[in-house]
Amino acid sequence: MLTTYDCDVLVVGGGIVGLSTAYALTRAAPGTRVVVLEKESGPAHHQTGRNSGVIHSGIYYRPGSLKARFAVRGAAEMVAFCAEYGLPYEVTGKLIVATAHAELPRLHALVQRGRANGIPVRELGRAQMAEYEPAVRGIGAIHVGTTGVCDFGAVAGQLARLAEDAGASVRYGAEVRAVGRRASAVAVRTSRGEVLRARALVNCAGLHSDRVARLAGDTPGMRIVPFRGEYFELAPDRAELVRGLVYPVPDPAFPFLGVHLTRGIDGTVHVGPNAVPALAREGYGWGVVRPGDLAGTVAFPGTWRMARRHWRYGAGEVRRSLSKGSFTEAVRRLLPEVRADDLIPAPSGVRAQAVLRDGTLVDDFLFAESPRMVHVLNAPSPAATASLPIGREVARRVLAGLA
Ligand SMILES: Cc1cc2nc3c(=O)[nH]c(=O)nc-3n(C[C@H](O)[C@H](O)[C@H](O)COP(=O)(O)OP(=O)(O)OC[C@H]3O[C@@H](n4cnc5c(N)ncnc54)[C@H](O)[C@@H]3O)c2cc1C
């Protein structure tokens, strides 16, 4: 019997990764019928619309890793994409600043890593650092030339328009609730009661990617543990304290970069994000608790193994989240003039961080394939920067499965 398909490829998730995948499919194989299903009323409601907006250079990532390859290429492509479509962006460069002697070896290691990844990096003395950022204090710094800022929500919207112009359909308010697979097709049922059949499915569900993989009958071998990142912004009359982007030296035990100072494309200076456990996958404040999400996180053995390993760091982050005084104190290491009154609460974001059963925080991007499906299981920062190469990679995998 001939199977009838509603489309060739179903993409679950209208964040920047899903929309970039849809766009790449229409470019790599024109005529492929693509449908994107997004549960919210528009694109980029979650990670893509709630981040630092930084086009990362790729300096932090292990040479040869997917993050390094895709971020370096993706940063250049993101700048070109924004320029081509008239989206706001700026290549500002950034400083990474050591505030303690113990951080200097790690700062030097970053210089080596950046050069290995082909990134322009300059070591700065205190006087040179002050020329860039007079109000920032540190004992050593490096300048990375290719870092920039943009609006990833606007990029996602543009990708949706380009995919639609090429024949794709992007449907909002369509949550995928069930997934079935036969030898010749996949089928999904949405919250609107629609059933759609396709030749293949791509899972770009971000904070829900492990759930969608399980709905499809696959065993992803990881779990998304949501980590909220909280931000403040500098009061307008204090925004001149920060001219560009200023980052601390990251702790290599964590995939998070530490609280940084970011002058965005609208001139607002954001201070953050920290990294605290979220009590719901879309838990944008301590008051948002979803017992189902929480029970799943607590029942997962990897959560406890991770907590045992990192409790000291985690406790510090929670303290700084609950006490503005502690948060301000931490920021003052980089920016001594800042006072608690200068910091105005700003919207937070939640990172979809994959954790393995043994408690390992997955560092690199992670994809998994099964018949007729490609799952994007770990796409945290810098996946927005790297979204164009990631989309092409996912499109390549799904088209190879259909050939
Ligand atoms: C605080 C923070 C700061 C960050 N800073 C940066 C930065 O400066 N630079 C950078 O490059 N990256 C940054 N990132 C990372 C970046 O935002 C993410 O890597 C990127 O947005 C991931 O995109 P995505 O499409 O995978 O996920 P998302 O944007 O979360 O999209 C997933 C989509 O899937 C939808 N969905 C889920 N389940 C279903 C379902 N069952 N049916 C239908 N739809 C579904 C969701 O509604 C959502 O819209 C940051 C992230 C955070 C949280």
Side-chain angles (χ1 to χ4, degrees), residues 30-400:
T32 305
R33 293 168 305 158
V34 181
V35 173
V36 180
L37 298 173
E38 165 55 52
K39 69 184 170 70
E40 304 294 349
S41 57
H45 278 224
H46 294 290
Q47 295 176 92
T48 301
R50 293 169 161 269
N51 55 50
S52 299
V54 174
I55 304 176
H56 284 296
S57 62
I59 187 171
Y60 299 108
Y61 317 115
R62 188 173 45 77
S65 63
L66 292 173
K67 276 190 176 176
R69 282 164 39 212
F70 290 172
V72 173
R73 205 182 309 154
E77 288 182 19
M78 188 55 67
V79 167
F81 186 88
C82 291
E84 181 172 357
Y85 294 105
L87 306 175
Y89 78 98
E90 201 181 331
V91 179
T92 52
K94 83 168 178 185
L95 295 187
I96 304 177
V97 177
T99 53
H101 284 282
E103 292 171 354
L104 288 175
R106 280 190 269 135
L107 189 66
H108 292 132
L110 274 181
V111 174
Q112 305 307 324
R113 186 163 268 199
R115 291 189 178 143
N117 286 337
I119 294 160
V121 185
R122 251 175 4 106
E123 294 181 78
L124 305 179
R126 281 188 202 200
Q128 290 166 302
M129 189 177 89
E131 280 171 28
Y132 283 104
E133 294 285 354
V136 168
R137 187 173 65 189
I139 57 169
I142 59 179
H143 181 261
V144 189
T146 47
T147 307
V149 287
C150 72
D151 176 350
F152 290 119
V155 172
Q158 182 65 31
L159 287 166
R161 279 189 292 279
L162 291 171
E164 285 181 308
D165 289 350
S169 160
V170 183
R171 304 188 190 171
Y172 298 110
E175 178 176 350
V176 170
R177 295 259 174 94
V179 183
R181 174 165 32 197
R182 300 264 183 284
S184 58
V186 290
V188 302
R189 187 166 41 76
T190 72
S191 46
R192 300 163 165 184
E194 272 178 310
V195 173
L196 288 163
R197 275 176 209 78
R199 295 168 69 213
L201 177 142
V202 180
N203 163 13
C204 302
L207 287 155
H208 302 274
S209 59
D210 55 338
R211 282 185 173 158
V212 170
R214 280 197 299 275
L215 274 185
D218 288 325
T219 310
M222 45 58 79
R223 195 177 175 92
I224 292 294
V225 175
F227 282 94
R228 187 170 59 253
E230 295 160 331
Y231 291 92
F232 289 92
E233 58 186 56
L234 280 184
D237 62 332
R238 300 289 278 166
E240 87 285 346
L241 286 176
V242 178
R243 292 184 178 172
L245 310 184
V246 184
Y247 280 64
V249 179
D251 182 335
F254 299 97
F256 313 130
L257 298 179
V259 166
H260 41 263
L261 315 167
T262 316
R263 182 176 281 275
I265 36 165
D266 62 356
T268 308
V269 176
H270 278 94
V271 183
N274 56 6
V276 293
L279 305 179
R281 294 204 184 208
E282 292 159 8
Y284 294 110
W286 285 112
V288 185
V289 185
R290 280 196 163 230
D293 287 358
L294 200 52
T297 303
V298 169
F300 179 58
T303 305
W304 294 100
R305 294 186 179 123
M306 173 187 67
R308 258 199 301 279
R309 234 177 271 168
H310 299 305
W311 68 269
R312 202 183 295 273
Y313 177 92
E317 289 289 271
V318 170
R319 181 165 42 81
R320 286 184 287 276
S321 166
L322 297 174
S323 154
K324 192 177 180 188
S326 302
F327 186 93
T328 312
E329 212 41 58
V331 177
R332 283 164 60 92
R333 288 169 63 87
L334 274 177
L335 196 63
E337 289 179 46
V338 83
R339 297 178 311 251
D341 289 350
D342 299 332
L343 298 173
I344 301 165
S348 62
V350 179
R351 305 170 182 86
Q353 175 61 48
V355 177
L356 304 182
R357 285 186 78 81
D358 69 359
T360 305
L361 296 153
V362 178
D363 192 38
D364 211 353
F365 299 141
L366 180 66
F367 308 111
E369 289 172 57
S370 65
R372 299 191 175 274
M373 294 194 191
V374 179
H375 302 290
V376 179
L377 296 177
N378 197 49
S381 185
T385 300
S387 52
L388 292 168
I390 291 177
R392 282 200 303 276
E393 172 64 16
V394 177
R396 185 188 66 73
R397 290 179 186 228
V398 74
L399 291 171

